Amino acid sequence: MDFPSLVFSVRKQEPELIVPAKPTPYEVKYLSDIDDREGLRFHVPKILLYRKKDFCMASTCKADDIVGVMKKALADALVFYYPFAGRLKEVPGGKLHVQCTAQGVLFIEADADVRLEKLGGDFVKPPFPCLEQLLYTPSNSKDILSCPLLFVQVTRLMCGGFIFGLRYNHTICDGQGIHQFVKALAEIARGKVSPSILPVWERHLLNARDPPQIMFAHREYDAIPDHKEKLPSLDDVVQHSLFFGSKELAALRQYIPPYLQACTTFELLTAWLWRCRTIAIGYDPEEEVRVVISVSTRGKLHSTLPTGFYRNAVAYPVAVSTTEKLIQNPLSFALELVMNVKNAVNEDYLRSTADLMSVRGRPNISTVRTFFVSDMRHMGNAGEVDIGCREVVYDGPALGVNPTSHFWMSSPYISNTNNIGVKGCFVPIYLPRLAMKKFLLEMESMVNKTPTVQTILQPETSKFSLTLFRISSL
């Protein structure tokens, strides 16, 4: 589907503030040293696409007033998640806390002259055309102080479906945390009085220890000079979308020895993409290249954390290699590097990260010659965000045709289906135009000596293009 050429208009109403439906505590909520990292001080875009059900059993849902339904559910949900209605403040030393002032979250009502079928129907996947019209963007997106922690836009579609776009402040929660909030919102929209899981703050549980104990090298925070790296213009960056089903993954596994066959799909794809991407960009042989892996520590913490604890609980270990070693060695070399750093993440690693933040003043993760990956395939159940009169067909990152400064170096792995209903892993990737051509050729040569990559290229007149391809089994 030629998404880049799809153009539609969105008519927006004036923004309004939605406040909690009932009085909430006026207090200060402190962030943990994990929440307070410099690299989390931005708003994360997320998008959900809903289609209208043919038949709805929810008597409480007013199917023709979806904006009213979502506004009421949002106000009711904020009674429980009232910190979202507050504002961030900075205290001496640069640390942040939330002032729970019930000032509200920003809400925008909109209408788009497009039907869900034009966006993919049951097989919706990024990149999304006209994304900037479906998400509210604050005028000064870098100023996170004194502005809403949550921006919500509900855009009605001509078919009766709608798009729920939001930007949430990353210091308040991670992807799992925002899913918990959206799940609560959906439950209330379906008629529940309160969420099935009540939110718990308790951020002190992940604060730095006294005294701090930095137990790991944490090379993700290395200070790396970037005088050799020239960042590409975003105007020259193109987006391609990769789909990996069971046949494609079986083909890749033929490249790794028996003792590594226990690797996960995420580990295998990360090693493979990192290697191909490095070759395509063409770094100098002696330079170090890196892949940062977003690893959730949920389920890895020895300490008992309360149910409903919607904090940031993600570590960012990094695998490091010289360009020469990465591309001259077989795929198993990159795979072992990825597996070793990913499997080293545990509660001690997360607490060591909190201690490092306290000691070193919350440094940013290095972005020099770095590829970022995150596994979003298990980010909650789509049925959990069903609102009764509408069911979700996509719930995931809001990735557009145009790359952004935050996301052009990263690839989220998304659970999705292709256009013939085959389930698999969907991976969008951004690269400079020339590097993308080399990337596709390298992938093709790795998978099979005979060309088997089928590409559907958009016309050269399109500034950004979408390619969906399948890799045949060996």
Side-chain angles (χ1 to χ4, degrees), residues 238 240 280 431-444 457 460:
V238 294
H240 287 262
L431 279 173
R433 189 178 300 276
L434 181 58
M436 183 64 77
K437 293 180 180 178
K438 295 179 181 178
F439 176 80
L440 292 176
L441 288 173
E442 180 59 30
M443 294 184 70
E444 183 176 350
L457 294 174
E460 286 297 318

Side-chain angles (χ1 to χ4, degrees), residues 185-258:
L185 184 69
E187 288 176 334
I188 292 172
R190 293 199 303 267
K192 288 184 176 290
V193 176
S194 64
S196 57
I197 298 176
L198 294 176
V200 175
W201 190 262
E202 303 296 336
R203 303 300 171 101
H204 67 277
L205 296 175
L206 290 180
N207 271 342
R209 293 166 289 196
D210 187 14
Q213 304 171 45
I214 302 175
M215 304 166 62
F216 297 83
H218 292 294
R219 294 208 57 194
E220 59 269 35
Y221 299 105
D222 285 352
I224 304 175
D226 59 356
H227 57 274
K228 285 187 177 182
E229 183 170 41
K230 182 181 179 181
L231 295 178
S233 166
L234 292 184
D235 289 341
D236 187 48
V237 173
V238 294
Q239 195 272 354
H240 287 262
S241 299
L242 292 63
F243 179 79
F244 301 90
S246 58
K247 292 182 179 180
E248 292 78 23
L249 294 171
L252 287 183
R253 284 191 177 274
Q254 295 191 32
Y255 277 94
I256 59 177

Side-chain angles (χ1 to χ4, degrees), residues 66 262 273 353 373 386:
I66 196 61
L273 292 170
T353 301
V373 295
D386 188 317

Side-chain angles (χ1 to χ4, degrees), residues 267-283:
E267 292 163 347
L268 176 59
L269 288 180
T270 297
W272 191 54
L273 292 170
W274 181 32
R275 190 176 186 277
C276 290
R277 186 180 185 274
T278 300
I279 294 171
I281 292 177
Y283 294 118

